[in-house]
Amino acid sequence: MFQRRMRLQIAGLLVILFAPIPLASGTLASRSERSINARAASTPSLQPLLARHAALKQKLAQLAPPQHYIVVDTAHNRLYVKRGKETVLTAIASTGSGTILEKPNQPGSQWIFDTPRGGFSIQSRLTNPVWVKPDWAFLEEGIQVPSNPAERVESGILGDYALGFGKGFFIHGTLYTRLLGKNVTHGCIRLNDDDLRTVYKLAKVGTPLMIF
Amino acid sequence: MTFFVLIVSLSTLVWPSTVIALDASPQPADRSSAIIQVNRLLEEEVKLAARPQIYLVLDLDASVLIIKSRGIELHRVPIQAWRRDGDRSIEGIYRLRARPAVSRPKAAPADDTSVTAIELQHMPDQYELVFDPGVVIAVSPLQERPWIRLKRAAQDWWNGMRHRLRIGDTDVGTSAVRISIMLEQEAARSLAWTATDGMPILIGLTTLP
């Protein structure tokens, strides 16, 4: 008799213990995002929130460039041309060296040779560009800065094309292709001839350029 | 008796998992607050993405730091481990106030041009990024040796304590939150390279729960 009562109590205990299992496994099964969203969508109070979420996502997507855009990773010296999520071109580049050059006769004033980081756009497209050498180019070489502007012009240095993105910075070619992949420039972005040609073809004035 | 022992053993196995499973169940209120949080972050991102700039998005729940511009993901940095000190809610937008100092090589005019450039390997892999208002992100590299990890953890804890005390003295009413993140060494250096003064960061959930 005692044993029978004991067994009944144990059976009751078993029911209590294992009753939550279907509930628990049901809960676990519902952890996937799809089913949560489905349940959320069916909950009246969540519908406006989810609608707002979808609208914001769409708004954000609309801010992305609809055509080609250029991304430059200055830490790894890479330039990418992308369209949507597709990468159209991956190129090895050279970007700013980050070094400093003191300006003569101007204590505390200096040039910092960094590639600027941020959001830009292509402002000019040049073929057969010439380099108008800035003061620092002469000073680095230990040459007197010329008073005649014509003496600053040097051709055949920048490759076949140059794409300006503001404040004197360009994406251009280089004679020093062995230095591609290194931080050696005065702020411009250098590419080899083939990659430069592709970028020139794909990029228009207004093409977004993102540098990080 | 054996039957009873079996029952007790089973119950000890079943109960904890049941409790965990029930706790994991997203309640409607939790879901709605999570969606509200994601939406708030998206609203801020829409404002940031409307301007030509680079910004960061930190999602601790997803253990990821994303470099973005115009809503586009430019680079994704996986976070190997993280910890946060401070109770204040940190979801929102912040701006970088202080970043690690970089020692720049100098060339004098008429010097030869063989000055070494700054490269990624010259960047620090352990540093702090101070954001306004009141968030500090302490970055450290993933280390293989346990004793180095232990040393870093102790150092991190001490820095956290010092930081909290300092902020408590200066910013009355503002409790700074310190987030410690551990990255691969190259990712830590890359982040130090990318961080620029005033750079915005969005902190919070990026995906629906």
Side-chain angles (χ1 to χ4, degrees):
Chain A
M1 186 66 184
F2 175 76
Q3 275 187 346
R4 199 174 165 187
R5 262 179 72 184
M6 185 71 179
R7 280 192 181 161
L8 274 172
Q9 280 176 351
I10 289 167
L13 187 65
L14 265 174
V15 169
I16 293 165
L17 283 171
F18 289 94
I21 289 176
L23 175 64
S25 55
T27 307
L28 286 169
S30 71
R31 288 176 70 186
S32 74
E33 191 172 327
R34 190 191 292 177
S35 60
I36 285 175
N37 288 344
R39 282 199 304 163
S42 65
T43 310
S45 62
L46 295 184
Q47 278 173 355
L49 293 175
L50 289 169
R52 174 82 180 135
H53 180 76
L56 285 166
K57 277 272 193 193
Q58 195 182 357
K59 210 170 174 181
L60 191 63
Q62 283 169 351
L63 293 169
Q67 299 296 322
H68 290 102
Y69 59 95
I70 303 167
V71 177
V72 178
D73 178 349
T74 58
H76 299 96
N77 287 298
R78 292 290 183 277
L79 179 145
Y80 306 94
V81 179
K82 296 190 174 197
R83 186 172 184 170
K85 288 184 177 174
E86 183 196 0
T87 303
V88 180
L89 173 76
T90 301
I92 300 174
S94 283
T95 58
S97 66
T99 54
I100 287 174
L101 180 65
E102 300 286 349
K103 292 185 180 178
N105 308 320
Q106 293 181 52
S109 192
Q110 58 194 17
W111 287 285
I112 302 174
F113 299 127
D114 266 341
T115 297
R117 278 158 238 181
F120 304 90
S121 62
I122 299 299
Q123 295 180 6
S124 60
R125 295 168 79 248
L126 309 172
T127 52
N128 299 315
V130 292
W131 187 29
V132 181
K133 289 173 77 172
D135 289 356
W136 51 255
F138 295 97
L139 294 166
E140 263 188 354
E141 294 170 19
I143 303 170
Q144 188 75 31
V145 178
S147 53
N148 179 4
E151 288 176 41
R152 289 177 180 265
V153 179
E154 206 165 316
S155 57
I157 302 282
L158 304 180
D160 295 336
Y161 310 99
L163 300 146
F165 57 93
K167 295 185 179 175
F169 293 104
F170 286 87
I171 299 171
H172 60 72
T174 180
L175 298 174
Y176 310 104
T177 49
R178 66 187 169 84
L179 296 178
L180 288 172
K182 295 178 188 285
N183 295 89
V184 291
T185 79
H186 295 89
C188 286
I189 299 159
R190 295 181 192 167
L191 296 175
N192 71 33
D193 290 347
D194 290 344
D195 290 334
L196 182 64
R197 190 178 304 113
T198 308
V199 175
Y200 181 81
K201 277 182 190 167
L202 296 172
K204 311 291 174 213
V205 169
T207 292
L209 168 63
M210 301 154 192
I211 306 176
F212 70 98
Chain B
M1 188 62 190
T2 316
F3 187 59
F4 188 73
V5 169
L6 185 72
I7 296 294
V8 171
S9 309
L10 270 173
S11 67
T12 53
L13 283 173
V14 168
W15 266 112
S17 61
T18 307
V19 170
I20 289 163
L22 289 173
D23 278 349
S25 167
Q27 299 301 308
D30 293 343
R31 283 204 305 275
S32 64
S33 63
I35 299 169
I36 288 168
Q37 198 196 111
V38 173
N39 284 356
R40 269 195 209 131
L41 201 77
L42 264 175
E43 280 167 16
E44 293 293 347
E45 185 171 358
V46 167
K47 285 183 216 162
L48 285 179
R51 297 175 59 195
Q53 61 183 337
I54 307 289
Y55 57 91
L56 303 171
V57 178
L58 176 64
D59 185 344
L60 290 173
D61 280 22
S63 289
V64 71
L65 180 74
I66 310 168
I67 300 169
K68 295 184 87 173
S69 181
R70 295 181 63 159
I72 300 166
E73 188 176 313
L74 303 180
H75 191 63
R76 180 173 278 254
V77 181
I79 297 170
Q80 305 299 327
W82 62 270
R83 203 189 75 217
R84 65 166 278 189
D85 300 318
D87 301 329
R88 183 167 57 84
S89 166
I90 50 165
E91 286 74 30
I93 183 167
Y94 300 85
R95 287 197 181 265
L96 185 61
R97 174 159 54 92
R99 60 194 173 103
V102 180
S103 172
R104 291 175 181 275
K106 273 190 183 179
D111 238 7
D112 67 7
T113 51
S114 60
V115 179
T116 315
I118 301 178
E119 296 199 350
L120 196 57
Q121 71 219 32
H122 301 129
M123 300 307 286
D125 58 13
Q126 188 176 18
Y127 53 89
E128 286 185 354
L129 298 171
V130 181
F131 291 88
D132 281 331
V135 167
V136 176
I137 297 181
V139 180
S140 60
L142 187 68
Q143 296 288 336
E144 294 300 326
R145 292 176 190 167
W147 68 271
I148 293 179
R149 199 175 288 183
L150 197 66
K151 189 182 154 198
R152 283 203 193 281
Q155 202 174 5
D156 202 37
W157 174 82
W158 174 241
N159 284 340
M161 288 302 289
R162 271 194 339 177
H163 180 80
R164 258 191 273 182
L165 291 171
R166 192 174 69 229
I167 294 292
D169 287 341
T170 54
D171 292 359
V172 179
T174 307
S175 56
V177 174
R178 185 181 170 84
I179 304 165
S180 303
I181 59 173
M182 197 176 274
L183 308 175
E184 292 285 351
Q185 190 179 50
E186 192 186 297
R189 287 176 170 163
S190 188
L191 180 61
W193 183 287
T194 300
T196 52
D197 293 334
M199 181 180 261
I201 186 169
L202 290 166
I203 302 177
L205 291 172
T206 55
T207 51
L208 288 178

